[in-house]
Each structure stands twice: as structure tokens, then as C-alpha cells.
Amino acid sequence: MTYLLLALFGGLSGTTTVLFGFGGGFVVVPVLYGVLISGAGGSLAEQAAMHVAVATSTCVMIVNASLSTRRSARAGTLLKTWLWPLAGFIAIGSLVGALAAGLVSGEALRVAFIVYLAITIVDCLCRRGFVSRTVEGEPRLLGRWATGPGGVLIGAIATFLGVGGSVMTVPLLRRCGLSMNQATSMANPLSLPVALVGTFTYMLSGVMDAPALGTGYIGFVNLAAFAALTLGALFGMRLAARWVGRIPDQLHARVYVGLLGVVMVSMVLV
């Protein structure tokens, strides 16, 4: 029953990955955290629940972001000018964030996750440029500060919380004048550095520093949960593909913020 639940939420993560550029972290972390603290993963996994949830989330993100990036590349919605060198700086920050996550408690990670969501929601609703586009004409390019230090910060926060960075890259690109369809398509390739660096670091640090979680784990990554979530995600991504580009831009932005609110409330209540 536990793995069926994970597969169902994996399907939801696949759907939101395709349509909104996020899904791995914002769907997987609260669900897997809730499953683990119920004792489903064993007593040691329950103690390290938030670390396991974040690490497994980054692993699922590799599959989701890779497949969605491939689909976007085929559709021609990837804009190379906004991808590089931002992706490189995000990768640098990802290493910092993954190492930092191993230094804090699981409860501190959970609180940070909730606070981060709350700030993002308020920013999207109160600052102009997200819900409705304010840039006229051609989208503007990212400045040096947004690309360099901004990219490192995005990578560090995203990997620390296991959320992929889309919740920062989508508003950032949106305020440059990109449509929601373009911004969410770009979020997936920009999440790949977070997923790859984060997964490797969590696996390595888990093996070196964590108590033995038992069979079925590589470091902090729960392999059975990863498999169930990924299978569900593949179905969800296929289902969502037909809606890409069909959602009105402003509605797309409003639903994006609404989903973040749902995730935040669920994490508070867990």
C-alpha cells in the first residue's frame, strides 16, 4: 500500500514537472517524509526522514528533469541564451547546498523548506512580473549578478532543500519577460545540475556519515521509494504532455502559485 501511494504521488510529480517545471522536490519531499515518520522505512529511516526524503527527491529529479528536458528540446522551447552559463553556476552552488544539508538536523531542514515556500509565494503574489507579464517586446537577458552569484545561490538553496531550483528559476525567467510555458520548460534543464550533484553528494555523505539505514539504501537514497516514484512519474509525464502550451498564461502562473501553497500547507500539517 505504501508503494502504491508513492507511485500515485510520483504520477503527480511527473505531471507538475511537465506543466510547471517542478515536481520532484515539492511533491516528493512532503509525501516521503510523511511515509518515513510513520515508521514505514524502519526506525533508523524515521530518524533520518527529512534527509532521506530530500536525497531521494533529488534522485527522482534526475529522471523527471531529463525526460522533460528532452521533450522540451524536441518541441523547440529551450532558449540556450538563458541556459548557459546559469546552469554552470547552479551546479557550483549545488555542491555547497548538499554538503551544508548534512550539517543540520532533519527538523531544521523541514522548517527551512516551509519558510522557503512561504517567502516564494508572497514574492510571486506581491511583486510585479510573475502573475502577469510586465516586460514589453523581446525578453531581456539575465545580468551578471543574476547569472553568477544568483546561480550559485539558486543551486545552494535548491540542493539544500531538495527542490530543484525551479521555484527560483521560473520567477526569475518570468520577470525577464518569458511566457510561463517557456519559463517552466527552462526550469527542468536548470534543475539537472541540482539533481546530479545533489544525488551524488547525498549518496556519498550518507555512506560516510549516516547510521546504516539497512538494505535498499545507497547513502540517504531509498531505492524502493525511488523506483515507485519514478514509475508513477513516467505515467504522469505522458499524461501531462497533451496539455503543454494549452493553458492560458496568467492562469498558468496562478495555478503555479496555488500548488506551492498546497505543498506548504501539507508540510506544515505533517
Side-chain angles (χ1 to χ4, degrees):
M1 187 64 182
T2 297
Y3 293 110
L4 176 60
L5 176 67
L6 291 176
L8 289 173
F9 277 95
L12 178 59
S13 79
T15 300
T16 56
T17 295
V18 170
L19 295 180
F20 301 99
F22 70 80
F26 288 112
V27 175
V28 171
V29 170
V31 172
L32 190 51
Y33 176 78
V35 167
L36 291 169
I37 62 171
S38 70
S43 58
L44 286 175
E46 185 178 349
Q47 295 172 23
M50 194 62 188
H51 288 86
V52 171
V54 170
T56 306
S57 163
T58 63
C59 202
V60 173
M61 204 185 304
I62 294 176
V63 179
N64 287 7
S66 296
L67 293 178
S68 189
T69 297
R70 182 184 178 190
R71 189 205 63 77
S72 297
R74 287 180 172 179
T77 55
L78 296 184
L79 306 173
K80 294 181 181 179
T81 305
W82 283 272
L83 280 178
W84 190 261
L86 180 60
F89 286 105
I90 288 176
I92 295 171
S94 297
L95 180 59
V96 176
L99 292 173
L103 303 176
V104 300
S105 68
E107 180 60 19
L109 271 181
R110 188 180 79 90
V111 172
F113 190 94
I114 294 168
V115 171
Y116 173 71
L117 278 173
I119 292 172
T120 301
I121 292 168
V122 171
D123 180 69
C124 288
L125 291 176
C126 297
R127 196 151 60 102
R128 296 180 63 221
F130 184 81
V131 174
S132 58
R133 296 169 71 181
T134 57
V135 176
E136 300 293 337
E138 290 295 318
R140 64 172 181 267
L141 298 178
L142 292 171
R144 290 184 179 180
W145 283 97
T147 301
V152 172
L153 183 63
I154 288 171
I157 294 175
T159 312
F160 184 81
L161 300 176
V163 296
S166 60
V167 77
M168 287 176 283
T169 58
V170 170
L172 177 65
L173 297 174
R174 176 75 166 159
R175 292 191 174 98
C176 287
L178 274 64
S179 68
M180 277 298 293
N181 187 41
Q182 291 172 322
T184 54
S185 294
M186 298 281 284
N188 287 301
L190 290 173
S191 292
L192 271 175
V194 173
L196 292 167
V197 174
T199 297
F200 176 77
T201 308
Y202 281 124
M203 284 181 171
L204 184 61
S205 65
V207 169
M208 295 175 62
D209 302 327
L213 293 172
T215 58
Y217 283 86
I218 298 180
F220 285 115
V221 176
N222 184 313
L223 297 178
F226 165 76
L229 288 160
T230 300
L231 287 174
L234 294 176
F235 176 78
M237 294 175 78
R238 181 177 292 272
L239 187 66
R242 69 188 66 183
W243 293 100
V244 174
R246 297 186 179 183
I247 305 174
D249 190 74
Q250 194 168 98
L251 175 62
H252 201 167
R254 291 183 183 277
V255 174
Y256 181 95
V257 178
L259 286 172
L260 294 184
V262 170
V263 174
M264 184 185 72
V265 171
S266 69
M267 202 62 187
V268 170
L269 297 177
V270 167

